[in-house]
């Protein structure tokens, strides 16, 4: 058995990564696909299997793989709850900040950013209190940042006459959507992602105001308005698990 190599393929909007382990000799007669408990995809293949054959085998089972990745993400989210103690790492606009819990018997529960910290003041160190203070802080930041980016990006696109109605809705598997009537929904967790990733999601959804599907015209439009969007999307995909595990 040689070391595994990392490969990937696209399935709809998803980038699915998988590792291939080549087996010499009689151990593997055919290509076998496993989903590991943490959601990793491992492909055991006979040493003589070509890259194309492996890719074809994985693509054939793409729907099944995608479903299992989603399931294991959900399981992981349940088994690894956030602890909300000082020192915990928090993401905001793609940067890491440390959570600092300050116990303060007086005064209201507050959360604010100070230098490299996001400081939460509470009367007790109860995780639920800290959690709700953090949620409120993130929600406020998300409203401000996402609305501002949306206004600015919408103004730069000819086909958007007025910024569309914007709704923020926490979602497990989606960054945003655009309704047939032109209402945009964004995942507030996006505020944890780097600015260019936020812009990518917003430009993607604004392009849907003109092209309602993911056909070639949509992708041409996106390419013109945001050259290099694929790399940005991959950056966001790579962060998804961390960002959405809250
Ligand atoms: Zn889309």
């Amino acid at each position: 058995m040689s070391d595994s190599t990392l490969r990937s393929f696209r399935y709809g909007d998803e980038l699915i990564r998988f590792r291939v382990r080549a087996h010499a000799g009689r151990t593997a007669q055919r290509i076998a696909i496993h989903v590991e408990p943490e959601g990793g995809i491992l492909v055991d293949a006979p040493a003589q299997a070509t890259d194309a054959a492996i890719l074809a085998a994985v693509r054939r089972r793409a729907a099944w793989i995608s479903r299992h990745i989603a399931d294991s993400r959900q399981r992981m989210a349940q088994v690894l709850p956030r602890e909300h103690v000082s020192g915990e790492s928090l993401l905001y606009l793609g940067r890491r900040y440390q959570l600092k819990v300050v116990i303060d018997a007086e005064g209201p529960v507050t959360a604010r950013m100070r230098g490299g910290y996001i400081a939460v003041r509470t009367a007790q160190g109860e995780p639920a209190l800290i959690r709700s203070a953090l949620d409120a802080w993130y929600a406020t930041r998300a409203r401000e940042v996402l609305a501002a980016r949306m206004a600015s990006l919408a103004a730069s696109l000819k086909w958007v006459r007025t910024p569309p109605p914007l709704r923020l809705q926490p979602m497990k598997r989606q960054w945003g959507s655009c309704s047939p009537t032109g209402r945009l929904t964004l995942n507030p967790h996006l505020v944890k992602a780097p600015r260019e990733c936020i812009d990518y999601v917003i430009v993607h959804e604004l392009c849907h105001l003109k092209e309602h599907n993911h056909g070639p015209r949509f992708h041409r439009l996106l390419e013109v308005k945001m050259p290099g969007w694929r790399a940005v999307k991959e950056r966001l995909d790579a962060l998804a698990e961390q960002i959405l595990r809250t």
Side-chain angles (χ1 to χ4, degrees), residues 4 9 11-12 29-30 66 68 80 102 116 118-119 146 159 165 183 194 207 210-211 214 220-221 235 238:
S4 61
F9 73 104
Y11 177 60
Q29 299 300 316
R30 47 186 287 275
S66 169
H68 281 268
L80 296 173
V102 182
I118 296 174
L146 299 180
W159 65 89
R183 183 172 72 167
C207 285
K210 196 164 184 213
E211 300 292 340
H214 290 133
R220 270 200 298 278
L221 189 62
R235 194 177 172 199

Side-chain angles (χ1 to χ4, degrees), residues 59 73 76 79 89 93 103 135 141 151 157 169 195 230 236:
R59 276 190 195 280
R73 266 187 201 152
M76 291 290 284
V79 297
S89 154
L93 294 178
I103 306 296
D135 284 351
R141 300 308 310 144
L157 302 175
Q169 165 78 48
R195 287 176 195 274
R230 281 180 204 277
L236 181 60

Side-chain angles (χ1 to χ4, degrees), residues 13 176-178 200 204-205 208 211-214 218:
D13 269 1
S177 65
C178 179
Y200 156 68
H204 178 119
E205 299 308 337
H208 278 317
E211 300 292 340
H212 289 278
N213 50 43
H214 290 133
F218 170 84

Side-chain angles (χ1 to χ4, degrees), residues 7 19 23 36 39 49 52 57 82 90 93 107 116 125 149 153 157 183 190-191 193 198 201 213 222-223:
R7 305 194 45 198
R19 285 183 296 124
H23 296 265
E36 298 172 300
R82 295 267 187 189
L90 300 170
L93 294 178
R149 289 315 296 153
L153 292 163
L157 302 175
R183 183 172 72 167
L190 262 180
V191 80
I198 295 174
V201 173
N213 50 43
L222 186 57
E223 191 65 47

Side-chain angles (χ1 to χ4, degrees), residues 142 146 166-177 183-190 244:
L146 299 180
L166 173 64
R167 187 171 67 113
L168 299 188
Q169 165 78 48
M171 291 174 275
K172 281 279 173 214
R173 301 219 47 209
Q174 242 186 316
W175 296 115
S177 65
R183 183 172 72 167
L184 257 64
T185 301
L186 293 176
N187 193 331
H189 291 307
L190 262 180
L244 298 175

